[in-house]
Amino acid sequence: MTDESELQRRRQLSRMSKTELIDWIIQIETAHANTATAIGALRDRFTTAYEEV
């Protein structure tokens, strides 16, 4: 991330209300959990495919 985009991001965050920040954090945590679940499922598929070969 460039310094300019980092600065823009900080400005956006500083204008958010407490409720908006909490919602934003929840969205990030949910996306993280979904990504972790998808990666785990993909890992299981690869492991199963490898074991079958």
Side-chain angles (χ1 to χ4, degrees):
M1 189 177 281
T2 65
D3 290 340
E4 185 62 33
S5 60
E6 178 68 23
L7 184 58
Q8 284 180 328
R9 188 63 164 158
R10 288 176 185 242
R11 286 180 180 151
Q12 283 179 320
L13 291 174
S14 69
R15 288 187 284 242
M16 293 173 80
S17 69
K18 184 176 181 179
T19 304
E20 289 172 324
L21 284 170
I22 291 169
D23 289 343
W24 182 67
I25 291 169
I26 290 170
Q27 288 174 10
I28 291 171
E29 290 176 341
T30 302
H32 176 277
N34 291 341
T35 301
T37 300
I39 290 170
L42 188 58
R43 184 183 306 121
D44 291 345
R45 286 182 185 174
F46 277 119
T47 301
T48 302
Y50 179 76
E51 290 170 352
E52 290 176 356
V53 172

